[in-house]
Amino acid sequence: MTDPADLTVTLVDGYVDEPAHFGVPPYISTYPRFTAGALVDAGVPEGNVTYHTIDELRDDRRKWADVADADLLVYLGGMTVPGKYVGGTPAEPDEVRELAWTADGTTLMGGPIRFGVGDENAGAVETERKDLDYDFVAKGDVEAAAYDLVRSGLEGFGDRVRDNEELDRWAAKGAFVVEQHPNHPEYLIVEMETSRGCAYRCSFCTEPLYGNPSFRTADSVVREVANLAERGARHFRLGRQADILAFGGDGEAPNPDALERLYGGIREVVPDLGTLHLDNVNPVTIVDYPEKSREAIRIIAEHNTAGDTAAFGLESADPVVQEENNLLVTADEAFEAVKVVNEEGGWRPGDDPEVGPTTGPDAANRLPKLLPGINLLHGLKGEREETFEHNKRFLQRVYDEGLMLRRINIRQVMAFDGTEMADTGADIAKDHKKLFKQYKREVREEIDRPMLRRVAPPGTVLPNVHLEYHKDGRTFGRQLGTYPLLVAIPGERELGRAVDVAVVDHGFRSVTGVPYPLDVNSATMDELTAVPGLGRKRAGDVVVNRPYGSPEELSESVDVDLSAFAVARPPERAD
């Protein structure tokens, strides 16, 4: 019998992306934290648990020794929705196999990878379950499998799900793992689970495979946040749930009191909070319980940080597709839900919370507190050419009514065993690929860009943009949060640091910004040229005629109001 106190364990994070769970950097998912906590609870010393991301192993082959030498290797990963990522690259199947081949000890694989493995993380694909040469595959909860495997002396386990009592222990004991993440502490956002499972059964979704909703208590989540904060975490996302509005209730109706305990509790235990965002909101909750939903959204917007997004699973505005795939809301109902979130959460810090949404030149220069996002999914049963027109009409209606969407997510379905889409597979998505590409381009050009100008007009300040990479003479970065804007800054600036940025221009899903406030007495030519109203000629005049004593002096000189972007600091004098 192997003594747990003598075991060494290596956790490898291949990253996850599920309908209600995200773990690609700068996010860290629940899986490595809960699994580490389960191992410690089973008797493995905290100091014997090593955590690596797949990107760490790619960058430093010496760290593969931790894979080879561990008594137990646990691989965690799996993508059940398609996406494109900046902060990290999910593990490929060949890499997952190489980990198993490298390990001399026992190997365990778990996470959403149990639902299936595709050759690539993309839409319009079918997946199948592959064991990828591991000794054990957790077909239930990987944290429960890890606990039972250690308690059995590495002999085996029975597939099962953990209960909330176990989760409370494991979540608390596993907080230490965040300190081993390469992004810790400044550029790491911790994905928090408030519940999992779903009361509804949309045809394509893997979340119902976790069963009906199982809610944690507000006290449990707040205790976990406190433990994580003690380990240096300051950025959190309540993303691991199908519907945050249903938290603490019966799975369908909102419970505002529970949300107040949750959000207020987090604010209390992390007074120097950096980010508090959420992910999923089910629009059917707002439709069925409008007044309670309004109260719940007001509570969230009071406690969260700006730029938050409530992702709506509309999936399709086509009534035929809605009917055939058990989708929950019509286009009209989704529109009403969009309107409610705009009215209750669409105000900006500095504006009156009672007057939302706030747009236009009189609005404060920050992102709105909470806006809806729209998910549109293609390749579903019943999809036809008219489907694409239904979706475009819905989006155009939202824009024409003066409302805001924080982002529009357009993707093609991935078909998994256990869902109703398994029978249809990816055939419809593949047949409509050309039509899908054309439609997606039209939405980006006709809706996304003007919507982004409304959400983040020139002069909007984005604090703490983390600089990630260089491309084409520009530096790209993002804030921490849910679906953060990609920001391009003229020039190549030092990576790995954070700067405040003012928006100056807009792409389809990204913005151009300049450091805020921009000191015109030291700004580069490229930075000045990017400021609206200047252009290259006037920017050249600024460079020639500086220094300026004040922004007003500069504005008078170039006949452009630069107060939203610039300051004019006196140049330093040599002694």
Side-chain angles (χ1 to χ4, degrees):
M1 182 82 171
T2 305
D3 186 346
D6 296 330
L7 285 177
T8 58
V9 184
T10 295
L11 306 178
V12 175
D13 191 347
Y15 311 143
V16 302
D17 192 356
E18 301 181 82
H21 201 176
F22 201 45
V24 180
Y27 298 86
I28 181 171
S29 76
T30 66
Y31 289 107
R33 294 162 18 228
F34 293 174
T35 302
L39 292 166
V40 171
D41 196 38
V44 179
E46 187 177 300
N48 286 13
V49 179
T50 300
Y51 167 80
H52 290 309
T53 68
I54 189 66
D55 282 313
E56 279 186 272
L57 297 178
R58 291 173 181 135
D59 294 340
D60 188 351
R61 293 296 301 188
R62 292 172 297 181
K63 293 182 177 179
W64 282 78
D66 293 329
V67 175
D69 298 341
D71 296 313
L72 173 62
L73 167 71
V74 184
Y75 173 76
L76 306 160
M79 321 297 285
T80 62
V81 293
K84 295 181 180 179
Y85 311 102
V86 175
T89 303
E92 300 288 346
D94 287 346
E95 292 177 309
V96 181
R97 289 190 191 91
E98 185 181 1
L99 289 166
W101 298 339
T102 301
D104 292 330
T106 302
T107 57
L108 167 66
M109 179 175 71
I113 195 169
R114 67 188 174 95
F115 295 130
V117 182
D119 293 330
E120 59 177 339
N121 178 46
V125 297
E126 297 169 11
T127 66
E128 58 180 317
R129 179 177 286 162
K130 299 175 183 176
D131 291 349
L132 300 174
D133 299 333
Y134 280 68
D135 296 325
F136 297 103
V137 179
K139 295 183 173 67
D141 283 327
V142 64
E143 53 266 39
Y147 177 87
D148 294 346
L149 185 60
V150 168
R151 299 288 288 181
S152 75
L154 303 184
E155 294 298 322
F157 57 88
D159 288 312
R160 68 179 180 90
V161 297
R162 36 82 170 167
D163 58 37
N164 278 341
E165 183 179 342
E166 288 177 316
L167 176 57
D168 288 349
R169 297 200 312 269
W170 299 345
K173 292 176 183 288
F176 72 92
V177 160
V178 298
E179 295 182 306
Q180 298 185 42
H181 195 287
N183 287 33
H184 181 271
E186 288 86 4
Y187 196 39
L188 184 66
I189 184 164
V190 183
E191 186 86 331
M192 302 299 301
E193 177 177 322
T194 70
S195 71
R196 65 173 182 174
C198 187
Y200 305 101
R201 297 294 183 267
C202 300
S203 68
F204 59 90
C205 188
T206 56
E207 190 61 22
L209 301 180
Y210 290 106
N212 290 323
S214 174
F215 293 97
R216 299 173 69 183
T217 66
D219 288 345
S220 169
V221 178
V222 171
R223 280 197 303 271
E224 184 187 359
V225 168
N227 289 337
L228 289 160
E230 288 178 2
R231 301 285 185 164
R234 291 296 180 271
H235 307 277
F236 303 91
R237 189 180 88 141
L238 305 176
R240 183 67 177 102
Q241 72 273 313
D243 181 9
I244 189 65
L245 295 185
F247 175 76
D250 60 3
E252 297 183 22
N255 184 339
D257 290 340
L259 284 168
E260 177 61 45
R261 290 195 299 273
L262 175 65
Y263 274 85
I266 291 172
R267 278 290 188 175
E268 185 174 343
V269 299
V270 195
D272 56 345
L273 184 77
T275 305
L276 180 56
H277 279 188
L278 61 88
D279 193 0
N280 297 298
V281 167
N282 198 329
V284 76
T285 304
I286 300 174
V287 171
D288 291 346
Y289 307 96
E291 293 310 312
K292 280 192 173 183
S293 294
R294 283 183 180 274
E295 184 180 354
I297 293 165
R298 285 195 293 271
I299 290 168
I300 293 170
E302 175 189 355
H303 292 295
N304 72 351
T305 54
D308 202 356
T309 306
F312 280 6
L314 170 61
E315 315 305 353
S316 180
D318 183 348
V320 172
V321 177
Q322 292 165 1
E323 177 70 23
E324 292 200 27
N325 294 274
N326 305 317
L327 305 184
L328 301 175
V329 291
T330 66
D332 287 342
E333 290 170 334
F335 177 84
E336 289 304 314
V338 166
K339 187 176 179 182
V340 167
V341 176
N342 268 261
E343 291 171 351
E344 303 299 341
W347 54 277
R348 302 165 192 261
D351 289 333
D352 184 354
E354 300 296 324
V355 183
T358 53
T359 60
D362 295 330
N365 66 341
R366 292 294 191 273
L367 289 175
K369 290 299 294 291
L370 178 66
L371 291 178
I374 292 293
N375 295 338
L376 295 171
L377 185 60
H378 288 272
L380 296 173
K381 292 183 291 183
E383 182 174 282
R384 54 208 174 125
E385 190 169 342
E386 294 94 322
T387 302
F388 298 89
E389 294 303 319
H390 279 286
N391 287 350
K392 286 197 295 183
R393 280 197 299 272
F394 170 81
L395 296 173
Q396 190 66 54
R397 179 187 179 192
V398 171
Y399 182 79
D400 290 346
E401 291 292 326
L403 301 173
M404 291 183 286
L405 298 174
R406 173 55 195 82
R407 72 96 174 87
I408 302 166
N409 187 18
I410 302 173
R411 56 193 174 91
Q412 288 187 298
V413 71
M414 298 174 74
F416 287 89
D417 285 339
T419 68
E420 292 181 21
M421 276 300 297
D423 294 335
T424 303
D427 292 345
I428 295 174
K430 291 174 181 175
D431 290 344
H432 292 172
K433 193 80 172 181
K434 184 177 180 180
L435 186 60
F436 173 79
K437 288 183 177 180
Q438 176 186 341
Y439 143 88
K440 189 173 182 178
R441 184 175 61 252
E442 290 172 355
V443 170
R444 298 297 180 228
E445 293 173 352
E446 298 169 15
I447 304 294
D448 267 318
R449 180 174 280 169
M451 183 67 77
L452 189 51
R453 289 194 188 104
R454 180 177 291 168
V455 172
T460 300
V461 176
L462 308 176
N464 296 314
V465 174
H466 293 259
L467 306 182
E468 296 182 290
Y469 64 95
H470 297 137
K471 184 178 180 181
D472 299 331
R474 298 184 292 175
T475 304
F476 289 82
R478 297 174 298 169
Q479 295 175 292
L480 284 173
T482 296
Y483 311 110
L485 285 171
L486 183 64
V487 183
I489 303 172
E492 294 194 352
R493 307 179 70 88
E494 180 185 351
L495 302 181
R497 49 189 294 264
V499 297
D500 295 347
V501 170
V503 174
V504 295
D505 200 5
H506 304 80
F508 298 141
R509 306 185 76 192
S510 62
V511 297
T512 300
V514 294
Y516 177 82
L518 184 66
D519 183 0
V520 295
N521 288 331
S522 60
T524 67
M525 184 70 176
D526 285 340
E527 289 169 345
L528 290 169
T529 301
V531 174
L534 278 186
R536 182 154 290 274
K537 183 179 184 303
R538 282 175 169 166
D541 292 340
V542 170
V543 172
V544 170
N545 295 320
R546 63 190 182 186
Y548 294 89
S550 68
E552 292 76 18
E553 180 185 339
L554 171 62
S555 296
E556 291 175 5
S557 172
V558 296
D559 195 27
V560 176
D561 182 7
L562 301 175
S563 59
F565 308 96
V567 297
R569 298 189 181 96
E572 294 183 4
R573 293 174 182 249
D575 292 335

mmCIF file of all heavy atoms in Angstrom, residues 443-471:
data_model
loop_
_atom_site.group_PDB
_atom_site.id
_atom_site.type_symbol
_atom_site.label_atom_id
_atom_site.label_comp_id
_atom_site.label_asym_id
_atom_site.label_seq_id
_atom_site.Cartn_x
_atom_site.Cartn_y
_atom_site.Cartn_z
ATOM 1 N N VAL A 443 -21.555 40.701 -40.238
ATOM 2 C CA VAL A 443 -21.864 41.104 -38.861
ATOM 3 C C VAL A 443 -20.719 41.930 -38.283
ATOM 4 O O VAL A 443 -20.937 42.967 -37.640
ATOM 5 C CB VAL A 443 -22.145 39.878 -37.977
ATOM 6 C CG1 VAL A 443 -22.225 40.275 -36.500
ATOM 7 C CG2 VAL A 443 -23.436 39.194 -38.407
ATOM 8 N N ARG A 444 -19.499 41.492 -38.526
ATOM 9 C CA ARG A 444 -18.347 42.239 -38.003
ATOM 10 C C ARG A 444 -18.314 43.658 -38.571
ATOM 11 O O ARG A 444 -18.045 44.623 -37.847
ATOM 12 C CB ARG A 444 -17.040 41.504 -38.329
ATOM 13 C CG ARG A 444 -16.914 40.127 -37.722
ATOM 14 C CD ARG A 444 -16.897 40.155 -36.217
ATOM 15 N NE ARG A 444 -16.771 38.825 -35.637
ATOM 16 C CZ ARG A 444 -17.515 38.349 -34.669
ATOM 17 N NH1 ARG A 444 -18.494 39.097 -34.163
ATOM 18 N NH2 ARG A 444 -17.324 37.153 -34.167
ATOM 19 N N GLU A 445 -18.577 43.794 -39.855
ATOM 20 C CA GLU A 445 -18.481 45.102 -40.498
ATOM 21 C C GLU A 445 -19.667 46.000 -40.186
ATOM 22 O O GLU A 445 -19.501 47.204 -39.937
ATOM 23 C CB GLU A 445 -18.358 44.918 -42.020
ATOM 24 C CG GLU A 445 -17.050 44.258 -42.455
ATOM 25 C CD GLU A 445 -17.038 43.932 -43.939
ATOM 26 O OE1 GLU A 445 -18.100 44.085 -44.587
ATOM 27 O OE2 GLU A 445 -15.985 43.511 -44.451
ATOM 28 N N GLU A 446 -20.875 45.424 -40.195
ATOM 29 C CA GLU A 446 -22.085 46.243 -40.099
ATOM 30 C C GLU A 446 -22.578 46.446 -38.676
ATOM 31 O O GLU A 446 -23.259 47.449 -38.397
ATOM 32 C CB GLU A 446 -23.201 45.599 -40.943
ATOM 33 C CG GLU A 446 -22.864 45.507 -42.432
ATOM 34 C CD GLU A 446 -23.850 44.646 -43.204
ATOM 35 O OE1 GLU A 446 -24.937 44.357 -42.645
ATOM 36 O OE2 GLU A 446 -23.537 44.246 -44.341
ATOM 37 N N ILE A 447 -22.260 45.525 -37.781
ATOM 38 C CA ILE A 447 -22.766 45.604 -36.408
ATOM 39 C C ILE A 447 -21.639 45.810 -35.390
ATOM 40 O O ILE A 447 -21.699 46.716 -34.559
ATOM 41 C CB ILE A 447 -23.562 44.342 -36.026
ATOM 42 C CG1 ILE A 447 -24.712 44.099 -37.006
ATOM 43 C CG2 ILE A 447 -24.066 44.452 -34.592
ATOM 44 C CD1 ILE A 447 -25.785 45.162 -36.979
ATOM 45 N N ASP A 448 -20.620 44.967 -35.452
ATOM 46 C CA ASP A 448 -19.602 44.969 -34.404
ATOM 47 C C ASP A 448 -18.901 46.314 -34.255
ATOM 48 O O ASP A 448 -18.742 46.820 -33.137
ATOM 49 C CB ASP A 448 -18.560 43.883 -34.675
ATOM 50 C CG ASP A 448 -18.894 42.583 -33.967
ATOM 51 O OD1 ASP A 448 -19.316 42.643 -32.810
ATOM 52 O OD2 ASP A 448 -18.733 41.513 -34.571
ATOM 53 N N ARG A 449 -18.445 46.879 -35.370
ATOM 54 C CA ARG A 449 -17.670 48.114 -35.260
ATOM 55 C C ARG A 449 -18.514 49.277 -34.734
ATOM 56 O O ARG A 449 -18.096 49.948 -33.781
ATOM 57 C CB ARG A 449 -17.002 48.458 -36.591
ATOM 58 C CG ARG A 449 -16.188 49.744 -36.519
ATOM 59 C CD ARG A 449 -15.416 49.988 -37.801
ATOM 60 N NE ARG A 449 -14.204 49.200 -37.857
ATOM 61 C CZ ARG A 449 -13.460 49.064 -38.949
ATOM 62 N NH1 ARG A 449 -13.830 49.641 -40.077
ATOM 63 N NH2 ARG A 449 -12.338 48.361 -38.919
ATOM 64 N N PRO A 450 -19.692 49.559 -35.308
ATOM 65 C CA PRO A 450 -20.480 50.655 -34.732
ATOM 66 C C PRO A 450 -20.919 50.378 -33.297
ATOM 67 O O PRO A 450 -21.006 51.306 -32.479
ATOM 68 C CB PRO A 450 -21.681 50.780 -35.680
ATOM 69 C CG PRO A 450 -21.723 49.527 -36.467
ATOM 70 C CD PRO A 450 -20.320 49.044 -36.549
ATOM 71 N N MET A 451 -21.186 49.121 -32.958
ATOM 72 C CA MET A 451 -21.545 48.797 -31.573
ATOM 73 C C MET A 451 -20.376 49.075 -30.642
ATOM 74 O O MET A 451 -20.557 49.614 -29.534
ATOM 75 C CB MET A 451 -21.977 47.335 -31.469
ATOM 76 C CG MET A 451 -22.436 46.908 -30.087
ATOM 77 S SD MET A 451 -23.975 47.723 -29.574
ATOM 78 C CE MET A 451 -25.164 46.764 -30.536
ATOM 79 N N LEU A 452 -19.168 48.725 -31.065
ATOM 80 C CA LEU A 452 -18.000 48.955 -30.233
ATOM 81 C C LEU A 452 -17.762 50.447 -30.023
ATOM 82 O O LEU A 452 -17.356 50.882 -28.938
ATOM 83 C CB LEU A 452 -16.773 48.292 -30.865
ATOM 84 C CG LEU A 452 -15.498 48.238 -30.038
ATOM 85 C CD1 LEU A 452 -15.753 47.665 -28.655
ATOM 86 C CD2 LEU A 452 -14.431 47.431 -30.777
ATOM 87 N N ARG A 453 -18.040 51.255 -31.052
ATOM 88 C CA ARG A 453 -17.915 52.714 -30.892
ATOM 89 C C ARG A 453 -18.899 53.235 -29.847
ATOM 90 O O ARG A 453 -18.605 54.181 -29.116
ATOM 91 C CB ARG A 453 -18.177 53.411 -32.233
ATOM 92 C CG ARG A 453 -17.078 53.228 -33.267
ATOM 93 C CD ARG A 453 -17.260 54.227 -34.413
ATOM 94 N NE ARG A 453 -16.335 53.965 -35.501
ATOM 95 C CZ ARG A 453 -16.660 53.386 -36.652
ATOM 96 N NH1 ARG A 453 -17.922 53.014 -36.875
ATOM 97 N NH2 ARG A 453 -15.761 53.175 -37.591
ATOM 98 N N ARG A 454 -20.065 52.605 -29.762
ATOM 99 C CA ARG A 454 -21.054 53.017 -28.758
ATOM 100 C C ARG A 454 -20.621 52.591 -27.356
ATOM 101 O O ARG A 454 -20.765 53.352 -26.391
ATOM 102 C CB ARG A 454 -22.414 52.407 -29.097
ATOM 103 C CG ARG A 454 -23.527 52.762 -28.116
ATOM 104 C CD ARG A 454 -24.847 52.163 -28.572
ATOM 105 N NE ARG A 454 -25.336 52.806 -29.784
ATOM 106 C CZ ARG A 454 -26.348 52.341 -30.526
ATOM 107 N NH1 ARG A 454 -26.964 51.216 -30.160
ATOM 108 N NH2 ARG A 454 -26.728 52.985 -31.603
ATOM 109 N N VAL A 455 -20.100 51.396 -27.238
ATOM 110 C CA VAL A 455 -19.700 50.864 -25.931
ATOM 111 C C VAL A 455 -18.446 51.571 -25.414
ATOM 112 O O VAL A 455 -18.348 51.904 -24.226
ATOM 113 C CB VAL A 455 -19.459 49.342 -26.028
ATOM 114 C CG1 VAL A 455 -18.851 48.803 -24.739
ATOM 115 C CG2 VAL A 455 -20.759 48.608 -26.344
ATOM 116 N N ALA A 456 -17.483 51.787 -26.303
ATOM 117 C CA ALA A 456 -16.191 52.356 -25.903
ATOM 118 C C ALA A 456 -15.817 53.484 -26.852
ATOM 119 O O ALA A 456 -14.909 53.337 -27.679
ATOM 120 C CB ALA A 456 -15.117 51.281 -25.885
ATOM 121 N N PRO A 457 -16.494 54.624 -26.774
ATOM 122 C CA PRO A 457 -16.206 55.725 -27.704
ATOM 123 C C PRO A 457 -14.804 56.283 -27.469
ATOM 124 O O PRO A 457 -14.186 56.018 -26.427
ATOM 125 C CB PRO A 457 -17.279 56.760 -27.360
ATOM 126 C CG PRO A 457 -17.675 56.451 -25.956
ATOM 127 C CD PRO A 457 -17.546 54.975 -25.809
ATOM 128 N N PRO A 458 -14.276 57.062 -28.420
ATOM 129 C CA PRO A 458 -12.966 57.684 -28.213
ATOM 130 C C PRO A 458 -12.915 58.435 -26.886
ATOM 131 O O PRO A 458 -13.852 59.141 -26.519
ATOM 132 C CB PRO A 458 -12.840 58.632 -29.407
ATOM 133 C CG PRO A 458 -13.674 57.995 -30.477
ATOM 134 C CD PRO A 458 -14.841 57.383 -29.747
ATOM 135 N N GLY A 459 -11.832 58.254 -26.171
ATOM 136 C CA GLY A 459 -11.687 58.859 -24.853
ATOM 137 C C GLY A 459 -12.014 57.921 -23.717
ATOM 138 O O GLY A 459 -11.709 58.223 -22.559
ATOM 139 N N THR A 460 -12.623 56.748 -23.998
ATOM 140 C CA THR A 460 -12.889 55.763 -22.951
ATOM 141 C C THR A 460 -11.564 55.280 -22.363
ATOM 142 O O THR A 460 -10.648 54.897 -23.090
ATOM 143 C CB THR A 460 -13.665 54.560 -23.506
ATOM 144 O OG1 THR A 460 -14.913 55.007 -24.035
ATOM 145 C CG2 THR A 460 -13.922 53.524 -22.422
ATOM 146 N N VAL A 461 -11.460 55.293 -21.049
ATOM 147 C CA VAL A 461 -10.228 54.892 -20.379
ATOM 148 C C VAL A 461 -10.333 53.427 -19.956
ATOM 149 O O VAL A 461 -11.312 53.020 -19.317
ATOM 150 C CB VAL A 461 -9.950 55.786 -19.164
ATOM 151 C CG1 VAL A 461 -8.711 55.293 -18.402
ATOM 152 C CG2 VAL A 461 -9.757 57.231 -19.606
ATOM 153 N N LEU A 462 -9.317 52.659 -20.315
ATOM 154 C CA LEU A 462 -9.215 51.253 -19.932
ATOM 155 C C LEU A 462 -8.033 51.119 -18.974
ATOM 156 O O LEU A 462 -6.878 51.119 -19.405
ATOM 157 C CB LEU A 462 -8.996 50.371 -21.161
ATOM 158 C CG LEU A 462 -9.976 50.532 -22.323
ATOM 159 C CD1 LEU A 462 -9.562 49.653 -23.493
ATOM 160 C CD2 LEU A 462 -11.394 50.195 -21.873
ATOM 161 N N PRO A 463 -8.274 51.021 -17.669
ATOM 162 C CA PRO A 463 -7.155 50.904 -16.723
ATOM 163 C C PRO A 463 -6.493 49.530 -16.799
ATOM 164 O O PRO A 463 -7.136 48.520 -17.111
ATOM 165 C CB PRO A 463 -7.828 51.102 -15.353
ATOM 166 C CG PRO A 463 -9.191 51.661 -15.644
ATOM 167 C CD PRO A 463 -9.569 51.147 -16.989
ATOM 168 N N ASN A 464 -5.211 49.502 -16.510
ATOM 169 C CA ASN A 464 -4.468 48.245 -16.327
ATOM 170 C C ASN A 464 -4.587 47.302 -17.517
ATOM 171 O O ASN A 464 -5.038 46.162 -17.391
ATOM 172 C CB ASN A 464 -4.919 47.536 -15.050
ATOM 173 C CG ASN A 464 -4.606 48.320 -13.803
ATOM 174 O OD1 ASN A 464 -3.503 48.838 -13.645
ATOM 175 N ND2 ASN A 464 -5.593 48.449 -12.923
ATOM 176 N N VAL A 465 -4.200 47.771 -18.683
ATOM 177 C CA VAL A 465 -4.093 46.924 -19.865
ATOM 178 C C VAL A 465 -2.736 46.219 -19.809
ATOM 179 O O VAL A 465 -1.687 46.868 -19.821
ATOM 180 C CB VAL A 465 -4.224 47.751 -21.158
ATOM 181 C CG1 VAL A 465 -3.954 46.884 -22.383
ATOM 182 C CG2 VAL A 465 -5.611 48.384 -21.237
ATOM 183 N N HIS A 466 -2.763 44.896 -19.737
ATOM 184 C CA HIS A 466 -1.535 44.110 -19.639
ATOM 185 C C HIS A 466 -0.975 43.874 -21.038
ATOM 186 O O HIS A 466 -1.657 43.355 -21.919
ATOM 187 C CB HIS A 466 -1.805 42.781 -18.943
ATOM 188 C CG HIS A 466 -2.170 42.929 -17.504
ATOM 189 N ND1 HIS A 466 -1.272 42.716 -16.489
ATOM 190 C CD2 HIS A 466 -3.336 43.305 -16.906
ATOM 191 C CE1 HIS A 466 -1.863 42.941 -15.321
ATOM 192 N NE2 HIS A 466 -3.116 43.291 -15.551
ATOM 193 N N LEU A 467 0.283 44.243 -21.237
ATOM 194 C CA LEU A 467 0.910 44.190 -22.559
ATOM 195 C C LEU A 467 1.433 42.783 -22.811
ATOM 196 O O LEU A 467 2.270 42.269 -22.049
ATOM 197 C CB LEU A 467 2.023 45.230 -22.638
ATOM 198 C CG LEU A 467 1.586 46.667 -22.287
ATOM 199 C CD1 LEU A 467 2.756 47.625 -22.439
ATOM 200 C CD2 LEU A 467 0.404 47.108 -23.146
ATOM 201 N N GLU A 468 0.965 42.166 -23.924
ATOM 202 C CA GLU A 468 1.201 40.740 -24.132
ATOM 203 C C GLU A 468 2.130 40.411 -25.298
ATOM 204 O O GLU A 468 2.923 39.479 -25.214
ATOM 205 C CB GLU A 468 -0.128 40.023 -24.357
ATOM 206 C CG GLU A 468 -1.046 40.066 -23.154
ATOM 207 C CD GLU A 468 -2.332 39.298 -23.386
ATOM 208 O OE1 GLU A 468 -3.166 39.760 -24.183
ATOM 209 O OE2 GLU A 468 -2.507 38.230 -22.765
ATOM 210 N N TYR A 469 2.018 41.124 -26.428
ATOM 211 C CA TYR A 469 2.862 40.756 -27.574
ATOM 212 C C TYR A 469 2.987 41.935 -28.534
ATOM 213 O O TYR A 469 2.220 42.900 -28.480
ATOM 214 C CB TYR A 469 2.301 39.533 -28.295
ATOM 215 C CG TYR A 469 0.948 39.719 -28.947
ATOM 216 C CD1 TYR A 469 0.845 40.067 -30.299
ATOM 217 C CD2 TYR A 469 -0.235 39.520 -28.229
ATOM 218 C CE1 TYR A 469 -0.398 40.223 -30.904
ATOM 219 C CE2 TYR A 469 -1.473 39.675 -28.827
ATOM 220 C CZ TYR A 469 -1.542 40.023 -30.170
ATOM 221 O OH TYR A 469 -2.774 40.184 -30.764
ATOM 222 N N HIS A 470 3.996 41.829 -29.413
ATOM 223 C CA HIS A 470 4.243 42.838 -30.451
ATOM 224 C C HIS A 470 3.837 42.285 -31.814
ATOM 225 O O HIS A 470 3.998 41.096 -32.084
ATOM 226 C CB HIS A 470 5.735 43.204 -30.513
ATOM 227 C CG HIS A 470 6.258 43.832 -29.265
ATOM 228 N ND1 HIS A 470 7.476 43.488 -28.715
ATOM 229 C CD2 HIS A 470 5.737 44.780 -28.442
ATOM 230 C CE1 HIS A 470 7.686 44.198 -27.624
ATOM 231 N NE2 HIS A 470 6.647 44.978 -27.431
ATOM 232 N N LYS A 471 3.316 43.154 -32.659
ATOM 233 C CA LYS A 471 3.004 42.772 -34.026
ATOM 234 C C LYS A 471 2.896 44.028 -34.877
ATOM 235 O O LYS A 471 2.207 44.984 -34.500
ATOM 236 C CB LYS A 471 1.687 41.978 -34.093
ATOM 237 C CG LYS A 471 1.352 41.473 -35.497
ATOM 238 C CD LYS A 471 0.054 40.658 -35.493
ATOM 239 C CE LYS A 471 -0.270 40.152 -36.895
ATOM 240 N NZ LYS A 471 -1.544 39.373 -36.908
#
